[in-house]
Amino acid sequence: MIEISTAEDKEYVCISVGGEVDASSSIQLDATIQNAVSDGFKKIMIDCSGLNYISSAGLGVFMSYIQELEIKEINMVIFGLQAKVFHVFQILGLDQLLKIVDDEKSAKGLLNVI
């Protein structure tokens, strides 16, 4: 089961993802990120501190936005990944393609929204 919440600020949106992202729940994650992009946010933080599991479908959601974010000059930072989840990102090389940091403070620093 997935839990997603969104908190908006003038400068950025923070999407908190908890539980498990699998083939069926990845649709919710995709829709939430798409809403942030459609709403015109140029700075997106993804809080994964509550994320226990992510499937290939969930990883595919993040992969599907790499080019669109670059074209639209949107900065997205993922933070709070548990070690086992981060390892999955590493295996696929997504840690090289996505901005991933340890905590919210680092994410805000990277996005210059402190």
Side-chain angles (χ1 to χ4, degrees):
M1 185 169 179
I2 190 172
E3 300 164 12
I4 299 178
S5 62
T6 303
E8 296 180 9
D9 189 275
K10 290 178 275 185
E11 296 183 65
Y12 67 93
V13 61
C14 183
I15 300 168
S16 298
V17 183
E20 300 181 355
V21 178
D22 56 21
S24 61
S25 62
S26 65
I27 296 165
Q28 291 175 263
L29 177 61
D30 184 40
T32 305
I33 294 172
Q34 185 58 53
N35 287 340
V37 170
S38 297
D39 288 346
F41 284 99
K42 293 294 185 182
K43 298 176 181 180
I44 302 172
M45 294 192 310
I46 311 286
D47 178 358
C48 293
S49 56
L51 183 63
N52 301 318
Y53 169 82
I54 190 164
S55 71
S56 58
L59 293 167
V61 170
F62 290 113
M63 291 170 53
S64 71
Y65 283 97
I66 292 172
Q67 187 174 12
E68 182 177 1
L69 296 175
E70 187 175 324
I71 290 169
K72 293 183 175 179
E73 297 180 351
I74 297 172
N75 287 312
M76 182 175 76
V77 179
I78 299 168
F79 71 92
L81 290 173
Q82 295 179 25
K84 65 182 178 181
V85 177
F86 179 66
H87 185 66
V88 176
F89 278 78
Q90 281 183 310
I91 289 171
L92 296 175
L94 290 178
D95 60 320
Q96 302 298 311
L97 299 173
L98 300 167
K99 296 173 188 166
I100 301 174
V101 296
D102 291 334
D103 53 36
E104 183 176 2
K105 183 178 179 182
S106 299
K108 285 182 174 181
L110 195 57
L111 294 176
N112 297 314
V113 294
I114 294 177

